[in-house]
Amino acid sequence: MTTSTNRAYTAHRSNRTLLLLQQIVQEVSDAPDVASALNVLVSRVRNALGTDVCSIYLFNSSDGSLVLSATDGLSPDSIGVRIGKEEGLVGLVARSEEPVNLRYAST
């Protein structure tokens, strides 16, 4: 790929990404409540990234737990499950405050 072709491809990809982000923000903004907004977010992010699962855990400051608040890919019955900040992959992300990208996450 030539340098100019590479730049054009990168610009096109950046524009597509920006458009996708704008669409997601609009859909989340249009949601009638927080739960609906979180569900839109996990669904759209999972689809955009092509992952098996996308979930959002919210920190509960009263007991220090992480609460599964939305998921696309895990059982809906798991919503509300609490885990400690010292537990598993979710706890690792919470402790490090950094994204973790794994090809295979053990269950």
Side-chain angles (χ1 to χ4, degrees):
M1 205 181 293
T2 66
T3 303
S4 62
T5 303
N6 191 22
R7 274 189 286 226
Y9 172 77
T10 301
H12 174 72
R13 189 169 164 206
S14 295
N15 288 339
R16 280 190 10 229
T17 302
L18 183 57
L19 179 61
L20 178 61
L21 288 172
Q22 288 171 331
Q23 291 169 343
I24 293 172
V25 167
Q26 186 60 54
E27 288 179 44
V28 169
S29 296
D30 290 343
D33 53 48
V34 172
S36 297
L38 294 176
N39 286 327
V40 166
L41 190 56
V42 294
S43 176
R44 296 287 276 141
V45 168
R46 178 183 177 194
N47 186 43
L49 297 178
T51 62
D52 294 329
V53 177
C54 181
S55 301
I56 294 176
Y57 289 80
L58 298 179
F59 181 70
N60 181 325
S61 60
S62 65
D63 67 4
S65 67
L66 301 164
V67 182
L68 179 59
S69 300
T71 187
D72 188 354
L74 298 179
S75 170
D77 295 337
S78 299
I79 299 295
V81 168
R82 295 171 183 272
I83 63 172
K85 251 182 127 174
E86 300 301 319
E87 296 180 53
L89 182 58
V90 173
L92 171 65
V93 172
R95 287 189 313 276
S96 67
E97 297 180 2
E98 294 285 336
V100 174
N101 186 2
L102 301 174
R103 182 180 276 299
Y104 302 104
S106 62
T107 56

